Amino acid sequence: MLNPFNLISKIVKSPNQKELNRLGKIVSKINELEPKFSNLQDKDFLTKTNEFKERIKKGETLNELLPEVFACAREAAKRSINERPYDVQIIGSIVLHEGKIAEMKTGEGKTLTIVLTAYLNALAKNGVHVVTVNDYLAKRDCFDMGKIYNFLGLNSGYINNDQDDNERKK
């Protein structure tokens, strides 16, 4: 016997399913670009970062650049720290970029997830701040994820309680 709810849910999608479908289309675009970025030389990533900044100056939006920028950052992560962000981490990055909350459990890769969003938003030259729960994690994440930012031609820093004002400004 056919459950009428199953029939209705096949026709009328829930808001969550609609959102996942929308995000899935963006992830598919990013995945389609992966071969393009895997064929780049290491030195080309700084060039790509500068190209993205120029395209923003000329009027392209961060949302328009998102698939290319995320594909670029994914490849940079693979090369610099030998970690490739999974599709679910990319979904989390898109959600964060859109100003929403992405709930992730311990061990699901929040630290790597934020790199994609931070890189995208740093291209607009407004500065990006990533907040974490304690001084140890702030310093660790800055050094670990900083390898990716540096590979892409950006720099990063951290603020801890024991730093003076000059260190914090730097």
Side-chain angles (χ1 to χ4, degrees), residues 27-117:
V27 172
S28 292
K29 288 179 189 173
I30 294 164
N31 289 338
E32 288 170 14
L33 291 166
E34 192 164 8
K36 171 184 172 182
F37 287 94
S38 65
N39 288 327
L40 293 177
Q41 300 294 315
D42 286 359
K43 63 181 174 49
D44 296 330
F45 285 83
L46 176 57
T47 303
K48 289 304 291 183
T49 295
N50 290 330
E51 175 192 312
F52 293 143
K53 288 177 181 178
E54 281 302 311
R55 288 168 61 186
I56 290 167
K57 278 185 191 174
K58 291 179 180 175
E60 258 186 274
T61 68
L62 295 181
N63 289 337
E64 291 169 333
L65 285 172
L66 188 145
E68 270 187 272
V69 169
F70 277 25
C72 183
R74 175 189 260 177
E75 184 63 29
K78 283 171 40 180
R79 293 186 190 198
S80 60
I81 65 168
N82 201 31
E83 289 186 38
R84 179 187 176 274
Y86 294 109
D87 289 357
V88 69
Q89 291 168 310
I90 290 176
I91 288 171
S93 292
I94 296 166
V95 169
L96 291 172
H97 168 67
E98 292 176 348
K100 300 173 188 167
I101 295 172
E103 182 179 357
M104 298 174 76
K105 295 179 183 172
T106 299
E108 290 185 330
K110 292 180 286 295
T111 303
L112 189 54
T113 297
I114 193 62
V115 169
L116 306 174
T117 304

